[in-house]
Amino acid sequence: GAGVSQSPSNKVTEKGKDVELRCDPISGHTALYWYRQRLGQGLEFLIYFQGNSAPDKSGLPSDRFSAERTGESVSTLTIQRTQQEDSAVYLCASSRTSYTGELFFGEGSRLTVL
Amino acid sequence: RKEVEQDPGPFNVPEGATVAFNCTYSNSASQSFFWYRQDCRKEPKLLMSVYSSGNEDGRFTAQLNRASQYISLLIRDSKLSDSATYLCVVILVTSGTYKYIFGTGTRLKVLA
């Protein structure tokens, strides 16, 4: 389809393992955002890309979290040495530009850390 | 203080009722404002933009008061299908970056 695609949709991992979450934005969308949503909570901003650059990384909770974007397309969010408090749905969104106001979200990657 | 604050609800209303949600934002650098809707265990989707002049889309009316840093959403003639969480969103522009800040959402349940 033409929407934002995220993988895996579900990931169960053991505490201490590394995980990679992938986001394929809508083709041609220059802005890409990562959010975290814990159960019953709101969306927590993690990082934002304009093209391949990340002008705002202020939301990354710790140095265990990193993200990159290549080819102004695919983005990967990596969580190293996962902890139980990392359990959440990780949502990716893309937008044609940074300021159009409409973010198109993927269905999210549900991460469970045991 | 949170950058965007909303009453979490839930608001339980009968079908056909009119219901209003409010949202306040703390940063005067906030430039654009929106309401998104999130259904249970689904991703958020844009409902409507919010302008100072107010805007209406069918049964939905949104209003912005910049002086009071306050945003509202009014839903008339509520339908069962309106049951969802309504998220207030502001775009904070700082040093040329555009950060979309989401409120925690207000849950609406429309009852038959």
Side-chain angles (χ1 to χ4, degrees), chain A residues 33 35 37 58 98 101 103 106, chain B residues 34 36 38 43-44 98-100:
Chain A
Y33 297 78
Y35 289 86
Q37 189 171 32
S58 62
S98 304
L103 296 183
Chain B
F34 308 90
Y36 276 66
Q38 185 173 27
E43 72 275 18
Y98 295 80
K99 189 168 164 181
Y100 288 62

Side-chain angles (χ1 to χ4, degrees), chain A residues 28-82:
Chain A
H29 279 196
T30 62
L32 186 148
Y33 297 78
W34 283 99
Y35 289 86
R36 175 168 73 178
Q37 189 171 32
R38 292 194 169 108
L39 189 63
Q41 305 289 312
L43 274 73
E44 179 186 354
F45 170 82
L46 297 178
I47 188 169
Y48 140 62
F49 289 91
Q50 180 58 46
N52 293 331
S53 302
D56 193 337
K57 304 180 186 181
S58 62
L60 293 176
S62 75
D63 59 8
R64 297 186 296 104
F65 287 72
S66 62
E68 65 172 14
R69 188 180 185 195
T70 55
E72 299 200 357
S73 180
V74 172
S75 176
T76 303
L77 176 69
T78 301
I79 309 172
Q80 295 179 309
R81 305 181 303 282
T82 51

Side-chain angles (χ1 to χ4, degrees), chain B residues 15 20 25 35 39 41 55 61-63 65 67 69-71 74 77-78 86 88 92-93 95 100 104 108:
Chain B
E15 265 187 297
Y25 61 95
W35 284 100
D39 291 296
R41 299 177 85 85
N55 52 307
T61 300
Q63 190 77 48
N65 183 321
Q69 296 187 184
Y70 167 100
I71 301 157
L74 183 79
D77 188 23
S78 301
Y86 290 83
C88 175
L92 188 61
V93 183
S95 305
Y100 288 62
T104 52
L108 171 66

Side-chain angles (χ1 to χ4, degrees), chain B residues 28-71:
Chain B
S28 58
S30 301
Q31 291 202 352
S32 302
F33 309 88
F34 308 90
W35 284 100
Y36 276 66
R37 169 189 170 135
Q38 185 173 27
D39 291 296
C40 190
R41 299 177 85 85
K42 296 283 193 181
E43 72 275 18
K45 293 185 179 174
L46 177 66
L47 179 66
M48 60 197 304
S49 303
V50 189
Y51 307 115
S52 298
S53 54
N55 52 307
E56 193 172 305
D57 183 1
R59 298 180 292 107
F60 298 80
T61 300
Q63 190 77 48
L64 165 65
N65 183 321
R66 282 191 186 269
S68 303
Q69 296 187 184
Y70 167 100
I71 301 157

